[in-house]
Amino acid sequence: MSTLHPPPDFDTRHSWRLLLETLEAISARHADAVFASSFGAEDMLLTHAIFESGVPIQVFTLDTGRLPAETVAMIDVVKQRYGVAIQVLKPDESAVQAHVAKHGEFGFYESVELRKACCAIRKVQPLRLALKGRSAWLTGQRREQSLTRADLADAEYDNVFGLQKYNPLAAWTDTEVWSMIRAMAIPYNPLHDKGYPSIGCEPCTRALRPGEDLRAGRWWWEQKLSKECGLHAGNLPGS
């Protein structure tokens, strides 16, 4: 969890009101909008905003089968706090087993291609099914998170999945996110307190070292510009 103080010009009440207005506007334009949550800090902030305001945006999560126990536990944390059972989507088990049989349980360490193939089975395909036939989805992405997200738009057409995509926290900083979490007493993944600002599958995520950027702990064995799983493939150079 960030221990930095919020910038002096950050007004939590004003920012909260603007966020709710943004979510309400998205919902008004897209009655079928959904939010894909990975239970990271940004996603918990958006989850809190959606459930506390009652805006009709469905929240779901992708259980890849390789998530840390702390992340899986957040499913029950959300249910207890907000009284809502989040929809949990899982990958096709036969596809997972076939991939593991061919490449091994940790084949993703061998190449970017094998890592992306694993992500495609465990994350991208379930997401594609969840978004099929819908007109919009929301994410917790922010520009500050990594080089691949530096030019992230607040709203964009997602050519990968064929629908509108909204990033309500695109312009928010890390300190602003955590200032809002503290102000609203929003529950968050305890791994954040152990040096994990970005949390994915357990074998593919580590704590940060001093001076590293916010997503350096994801797929740490790869080059910075390859660090997307396919859910946000449009962030990558040349896409």
Side-chain angles (χ1 to χ4, degrees):
M1 182 175 183
S2 174
T3 57
L4 299 176
H5 294 292
D9 59 344
F10 182 67
D11 184 331
T12 54
R13 291 185 179 180
H14 178 66
S15 296
W16 180 251
R17 184 169 62 252
L18 290 180
L19 177 58
L20 294 186
E21 290 175 356
T22 297
L23 295 177
E24 289 168 357
I26 293 171
S27 179
R29 287 193 292 269
H30 305 277
D32 60 349
V34 291
F35 170 49
S37 173
S38 63
F39 301 113
E42 295 84 2
D43 290 356
M44 288 306 300
L45 170 53
L46 287 175
T47 296
H48 183 82
I50 290 169
F51 290 153
E52 286 291 302
S53 67
V55 63
I57 295 176
Q58 181 184 347
V59 181
F60 69 89
T61 191
L62 304 175
D63 182 353
T64 65
R66 303 298 293 269
L67 297 178
E70 293 87 344
T71 300
V72 175
M74 292 301 296
I75 297 171
D76 286 334
V77 169
V78 169
K79 183 177 181 179
Q80 292 172 11
R81 174 64 180 271
Y82 305 105
V84 179
I86 288 182
Q87 181 183 17
V88 179
L89 303 179
K90 297 184 178 183
D92 180 82
E93 187 59 31
S94 61
V96 171
Q97 291 177 357
H99 181 80
V100 172
K102 184 175 181 179
H103 302 290
E105 192 173 0
F106 299 98
F108 43 80
Y109 289 135
E110 297 177 12
S111 69
V112 173
E113 290 72 26
L114 283 179
R115 193 272 293 168
K116 289 186 176 180
C118 183
C119 288
I121 294 170
R122 294 181 183 273
K123 300 170 74 172
V124 179
Q125 291 306 317
L127 178 64
R128 190 177 298 280
L129 291 175
L131 299 183
K132 185 177 181 180
R134 295 187 180 274
S135 65
W137 71 301
L138 291 75
T139 86
Q141 293 186 102
R142 295 186 295 108
R143 297 182 193 120
E144 188 187 63
Q145 288 172 326
S146 68
L147 291 174
T148 60
R149 299 181 178 184
D151 298 321
L152 185 69
D154 296 318
E156 56 190 327
Y157 187 76
D158 189 334
N159 289 306
V160 176
F161 297 106
L163 73 171
Q164 193 68 18
K165 181 177 181 179
Y166 293 94
N167 308 301
L169 301 179
W172 287 51
T173 67
D174 187 54
T175 53
E176 288 170 348
V177 169
W178 282 106
S179 294
M180 192 65 76
I181 287 175
R182 286 193 292 268
M184 298 285 181
I186 299 172
Y188 62 88
N189 193 321
L191 286 175
H192 288 307
D193 289 334
K194 299 179 181 180
Y196 291 76
S198 179
I199 306 166
C201 290
E202 188 170 35
C204 301
T205 311
R206 64 162 172 78
L208 292 189
R209 299 181 181 121
E212 290 184 318
D213 68 58
L214 294 177
R215 283 181 55 88
R218 302 290 296 277
W219 310 299
W220 66 91
W221 64 93
E222 295 181 8
Q223 297 296 314
K224 288 184 178 181
L225 293 182
S226 70
K227 293 189 174 185
E228 293 288 355
C229 62
L231 301 188
H232 308 297
N235 298 337
L236 294 172
S239 58

